[in-house]
């Protein structure tokens, strides 16, 4: 069975973009692949966090992994800090990552360009830790949204660098970006991706949003004046985003079929249909979340996941340290 690994950094509540671009795919893949899904709590602190809020978001994230359908009997689900070897390999990889490479990472560049003050060293070097998160488990594939592709490409370069210098240490993984939904855009500004760091809450549907609130957000999504439900991201970015959401929540229904269904109908009708799909999805997830959040299944899931992940990670770290001449016995 081929192996797959991915992580989410819950610095805020999980939203529809995370679900469509990442989580939903993890769930679909868990039968076909040996799936490793972790919660990147080290990556979370690369930007300032409120401790109480972070703790809640982390717990919600595990619960939402399960509520969205990840099955702990199939997938290995764990918390990044439970696997100490991951951070240690992160340091080793960081020492093999050029500053030029880190300077090129668009996520960091975007933050620099916004003139955000007090950007941390951790934020700058985080792609090296992300590479360690991945390479320590030798996955074949890394399913991520579009915004993470560049980090996975850097991971591939780093794996090859180690293999060339020290002998075969790492499998070179491939990013897996789904065709539909790899970049869900903000409902209030379809030129920006839907994001938890969105200043404007109206553009982002959270998985735990009250259904009426979610419906309102979809109904007030920014569209255009062309009055035509057509997939045309350049001229009709708002409508195209809604088509993408509708398709993804309807077993990837082809865009042409959606266009046909809503031919001659107004945007109001279409938005209503999208909001119904979104609310159906959220209501199903929330019902499961409510049953899970206070049960002991969370602890058991993380304990079992950590045990399994540690076995693999520790062995790999030893192998790397030995190859680098860092072990003395
Ligand atoms: P993050 O919440 O930034 O850790 O992202 C977790 C996963 O969700 C990553 O695979 C991202 O690429 C994906 N993701 C985040 N935002 C979006 C979005 N707006 N559309 C599609 N995928 C997304
Ligand atoms: N950087 C990813 C994000 O912000 C989260 C992440 C951390 C990740 N480590 C990973 C994703 C390893 C895939 C594999 O979304």
């Amino acid at each position: 069975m081929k192996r797959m690994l991915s992580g989410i950094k819950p610095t805020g509540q999980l939203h529809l973009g995370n679900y469509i671009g990442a989580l939903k795919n993890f769930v679909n893949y868990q039968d076909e692949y040996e799936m490793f899904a972790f919660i990147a709590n080290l990556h979370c602190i690369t930007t300032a966090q409120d401790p109480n809020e972070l703790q809640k978001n982390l717990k919600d994230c595990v619960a939402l992994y399960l509520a969205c359908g990840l099955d702990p009997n199939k997938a290995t689900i764990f918390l990044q800090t439970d696997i100490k070897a991951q951070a240690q390999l992160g340091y080793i990889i960081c020492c093999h990552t050029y500053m030029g490479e880190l300077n090129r990472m668009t996520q960091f560049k975007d933050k620099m360009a916004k003139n955000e003050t007090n950007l941390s060293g951790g934020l700058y070097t985080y792609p090296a830790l992300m590479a360690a998160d991945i390479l320590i488990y030798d996955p074949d594939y890394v399913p991520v949204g579009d915004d993470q592709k560049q980090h996975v490409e850097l991971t591939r370069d780093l794996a090859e660098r180690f293999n060339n210098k020290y002998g075969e240490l790492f499998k070179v993984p491939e990013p897996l970006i789904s065709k539909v939904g790899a970049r869900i855009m903000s409902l209030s500004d379809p030129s920006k991706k839907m994001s938890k760091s969105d200043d404007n809450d109206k553009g982002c549907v959270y998985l735990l949003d009250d259904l009426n609130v979610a419906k309102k957000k979809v109904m007030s999504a920014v569209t255009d004046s062309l009055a035509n439900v057509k997939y045309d991201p350049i001229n009709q970015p708002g409508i195209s985003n809604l088509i993408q959401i509708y398709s993804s929540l309807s077993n990837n229904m082809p865009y042409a079929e959606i266009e046909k269904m809503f031919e001659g109908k107004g945007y109001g009708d279409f938005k209503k249909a999208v909001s119904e799909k979104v609310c159906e999805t959220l209501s199903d997830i929330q019902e499961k979340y409510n049953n899970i959040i206070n049960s002991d299944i969370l602890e058991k899931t993380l304990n079992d996941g950590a045990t399994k992940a540690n076995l693999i990670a520790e062995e790999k770290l030893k192998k790397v340290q030995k190859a680098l001449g860092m072990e003395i016995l």
Side-chain angles (χ1 to χ4, degrees), residues 227-231 236 239 243 258-259 262 265-267 270:
N228 185 12
V229 176
K230 188 166 182 299
Y231 187 77
Q236 297 183 252
I239 282 295
I243 292 182
I258 299 171
E259 287 171 359
F262 292 95
K265 298 211 171 119
Y267 285 169
F270 178 52

Side-chain angles (χ1 to χ4, degrees), residues 6-9 15 17-18 21-22 143-148 181-185 193-196:
S6 197
I8 289 185
K9 169 173 61 82
H15 53 75
N18 294 134
V144 281
D146 194 43
D147 59 343
Q148 295 301 316
R183 183 172 282 259
I184 299 296
M185 309 312 276
K193 72 167 190 173
M194 185 179 284
S195 160
K196 52 204 162 200

